[in-house]
Each structure stands twice: as structure tokens, then as C-alpha cells.
Amino acid sequence: GFHIPGHWDKILDIDDCKLQPEPGNRIRNALRDFAKEENIGFYHPRERKGLLRQLTIRITKLGEVMVLVHFFEEDKPAIEKVMSFLAGKFPEITSLLYVVNPKANDTIYDLPVKLFKGRDYIEEEIAGLRFRIKAKSFFQTNSYQVEQLYAKVKAYADLKKDDLVYDLYSGAGTIALFVAPEVKKVVGVESVPDAVEDARENARINRIENVDFESGDMKEIFNGEFVKKHGKPDVIITDPPRDGMHQKVVEQIKNLLPRRIVYVSCNSATQARDLALLSDRYEVETVQPVDMFPQTYHVENIAVLSLKKDA
């Protein structure tokens, strides 16, 4: 369901979500009804009790389906019952997984994801490139519109054949692999080790060799030693999480002074903050929103920055 506005702990139950194709609705509704019939409790974040915490469903254009069930505690008989129900009811699920999250927050990056049935990844195709996506990997939710987003990013980057490009917060390597044929080399940086594994595997699948991916906390790994190892970038593409870029990352970009920065953001407020921090060295050349989230007020926003002549 949806969070009720103004209530972080209350969910509006819905039967038909217009934002995701089937079998998304059927899986969600069937699991909800099954849990009620079997008296399996739903997680209440304020009271911190209840087994079924969250459900993540990913569906690709290729028709592959990933279902990740988040449980609050390690109740093995109940978990087995839930997962067996989903496996039997929906044989079309490509990747059926679960995670036990007893923490106060919903993040799972530090938790083991367990495979119940199928394989531990799904595949997507974007502009002729094939991508493997695991449960912890960031991948844009709108696989149709993402081609428009990446085409804009590549065009705005104004790439040259001998360019070295840094792709910060590179996820599963989508942007890096998208622009790699246009340049000498792309270096991606990502904090989630699973996503870096995916990025390297995606490069292998697509036979793209002029890319390199490193894993680590961006504000720590993106330092002088990193630049000494990989070289000074001509262009930086950055697609950070909602919190935007850490101030250390912004300062390092200002030390490197690439001729161009393409900044992709899902949060225009933190993007505006970071652009202000870069404004003494860079001017905003273009701003282009891309509607990645139909029927909502959210957008993905591209800001193109060029180095000032007196920088």
C-alpha cells in the first residue's frame, strides 16, 4: 500500500496499483490475503512487532520478476510457510528471496539476502545492453523512461574519444556502460559491494572492457590515492542517493576541476544545495527534468555544469 500522508507508521491498503504491471498486484494481494488466513502478523513500525515487514517486487521489460520478502524476525516455520506459498502460487517468479530485518530502519544493505527459489538476480535490457540486477543493486525503476534519461546524460556530457570519465554512485554500472563506447575509459565508484559485483558482471556480459569499478564509502575512497591510481577525470557523472553528495565529495570534485559535470538527482533540494557549493567553480548550463515516476510529483533531474573560464 501507500504511506498515508503525514503518518510514517500507517499504510493505506490498495488492491490495484497503476504504477507496476502484473503480476505485481496479484502477488501483493495474494500474500496479504494468505497472511490474514494463516494469522501471520503484519509489522507495525511504532510497536515494533509483526512478522511481515515489507515486500519488494521488481519486474523487468523482459518479463522477469524478483520478489523479496522482508521479515522482522527469524521465525523459520512461518517464513517457510510464506515462501512456499509464493513459490507454489506464482511459478513465474524468476528470483524469490527473503531477508530478516530486526533493525529500526528498513535498509538491508548490511543484511544477508537469502535465495529461496530460482536465481539470485533478474535481467533487464536497456538500449541493447543487458544488465543483471540483484536484490541490493540500485537500478532505475522505470525501464522504459530510463533510456531517455541515459540518452540525455550521454548527450549533455559532450564526450570525447580520449576522455576519462568518473561515474560516481555507479550502482549496477548502467550509466558507465552506456557511455563507455564513446570514451577512453570509465571508472565507477559505488558503496554497495553487491552492486559493484553486478557492474563488473554486466561489463563482462556486454563485452565492454574500458571500464573499472571500485567499491567503498564515497567520501572515503574518492581521495587523492584514488585519483593517482585512475587519473584525473575530464568529465564526472554523478547520480547520488536522495541525501545528495557528501561535502568531502564536493570538495574533491573542486580539487579535480573536470571540464564538465552531469549531475543526476531524484531530490532537487539536495541537488540545489550541492550546485550552490560548486557555484564558485562551475556554472549551470542546462537543467532537464525527466519524468521517471508517472502519476506522482517526483522527477529525476539532470543538471549540467561547465567549468568557469576563470576557475
Side-chain angles (χ1 to χ4, degrees), residues 223-234:
N223 54 26
E225 285 299 311
F226 182 93
V227 177
K228 188 176 179 181
K229 176 181 177 181
H230 294 287
K232 185 175 177 293
D234 302 288

Side-chain angles (χ1 to χ4, degrees), residues 7 29 50 99 192 294:
H7 297 275
N29 290 331
V99 63
V192 180

Side-chain angles (χ1 to χ4, degrees), residues 245 250 253-254 261 274-282 305:
M245 297 191 294
V250 175
I253 291 174
K254 288 166 74 170
I261 302 169
D274 294 345
L275 296 185
L277 293 172
L278 290 162
S279 63
D280 58 332
R281 293 286 189 269
Y282 289 88
L305 290 78

